[in-house]
């Protein structure tokens, strides 16, 4: 312990220590050959209980991980997609189509309260930690946060970053 205390702390040492702690926890929990079925995008929910897929025509299907049964099928998303993600409360699904549209789906009703297009959406989006908002980034560096229940815009922020990903911190205080 005394030798460890004498090691000069650095950012590199910190990053290596964090990486060493995280890697042993990684293990496969589920495997699916989604590409065999013609799926373009897929994602798992946070509890690893369900997964969503989008096929090459834009059909969105949510399945149970345990028995692969279909839980819900949503209307056409407008073509293939680049990514999709469940909200933290797992009640909604955000999908980005290759045509540049970000659409939010309510999984209980199958309705889409939000359809963002024509804003040069770059495909970066993040749910607020309480699942009540969806931040969508545009190529002009503006990030708009929409209410997930209604699709109404809540805030717009000029990020100054035309490319990259966005995320909220764990407390949901910062984007």
């Amino acid at each position: 312990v005394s030798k460890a205390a004498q090691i000069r702390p650095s950012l590199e040492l910190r990053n290596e220590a964090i990486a060493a702690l995280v890697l042993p926890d990684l293990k496969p929990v589920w495997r699916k050959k989604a590409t065999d079925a013609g799926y373009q995008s897929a994602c798992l929910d946070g509890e690893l209980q369900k997964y969503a897929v989008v096929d090459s025509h834009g059909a969105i299907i949510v399945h149970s991980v345990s028995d692969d049964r279909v839980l819900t099928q949503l209307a056409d998303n407008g073509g293939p997609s680049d990514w999709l993600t469940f909200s933290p409360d797992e009640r909604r699904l955000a999908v980005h189509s290759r045509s540049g549209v970000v659409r939010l789906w309510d999984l209980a009703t199958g309705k889409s309260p939000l359809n963002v297009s024509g804003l040069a959406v770059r495909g970066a989006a993040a749910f607020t930690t309480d699942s009540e908002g969806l931040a969508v980034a545009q190529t002009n560096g503006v990030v708009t946060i929409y209410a997930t229940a209604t699709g109404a815009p809540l805030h717009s922020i000029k990020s100054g970053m035309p490319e990259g990903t966005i995320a909220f911190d764990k407390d949901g205080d910062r984007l």
Side-chain angles (χ1 to χ4, degrees), residues 102 124-128 133-137 143-146 166 168 175:
V102 173
F127 282 99
T128 56
L134 178 68
V136 178
V143 177
T144 302
I145 302 173
Y146 297 91
I166 58 174
F168 286 91
L175 179 64

Side-chain angles (χ1 to χ4, degrees), residues 128 130 132-134 143-157:
T128 56
D130 63 3
E132 296 300 317
L134 178 68
V143 177
T144 302
I145 302 173
Y146 297 91
T148 54
T150 64
L154 300 174
H155 307 286
S156 285
I157 305 160

Side-chain angles (χ1 to χ4, degrees), residues 85-153:
T85 185
F86 286 98
S87 61
D89 66 6
E90 301 172 14
R91 294 177 28 218
R92 297 175 181 95
L93 184 71
V95 182
H96 179 260
S97 72
R98 291 192 182 150
S99 63
V101 175
V102 173
R103 182 173 268 173
L104 178 68
W105 295 94
D106 183 309
L107 296 175
T109 65
K111 295 185 179 181
S112 178
L114 176 62
N115 186 347
V116 181
S117 63
L119 299 173
V121 174
R122 71 173 189 240
F127 282 99
T128 56
T129 55
D130 63 3
S131 299
E132 296 300 317
L134 178 68
V136 178
Q138 299 164 226
T139 55
N140 64 1
V142 173
V143 177
T144 302
I145 302 173
Y146 297 91
T148 54
T150 64

Side-chain angles (χ1 to χ4, degrees), residues 9-78:
S10 69
L11 182 59
E12 183 180 14
L13 180 62
R14 174 192 161 274
N15 291 345
E16 287 296 323
I18 290 170
L21 293 172
V22 173
L23 290 177
D25 292 342
L26 296 178
K27 63 181 179 179
V29 293
W30 172 76
R31 235 175 237 172
K32 175 86 176 160
K33 287 195 169 191
T35 55
D36 291 348
Y39 298 132
Q40 300 292 312
S41 301
C43 72
L44 284 160
D45 72 333
E47 298 295 318
L48 305 177
Q49 300 296 312
K50 58 186 168 223
Y51 69 97
V53 292
V54 179
D55 70 16
S56 59
H57 303 291
I60 303 167
I61 307 164
V62 180
H63 295 265
S64 166
V65 168
S66 62
D67 58 8
D68 210 32
R69 70 186 155 86
V70 173
L71 300 175
T72 190
Q73 187 162 352
L74 303 170
D76 188 341
N77 191 55

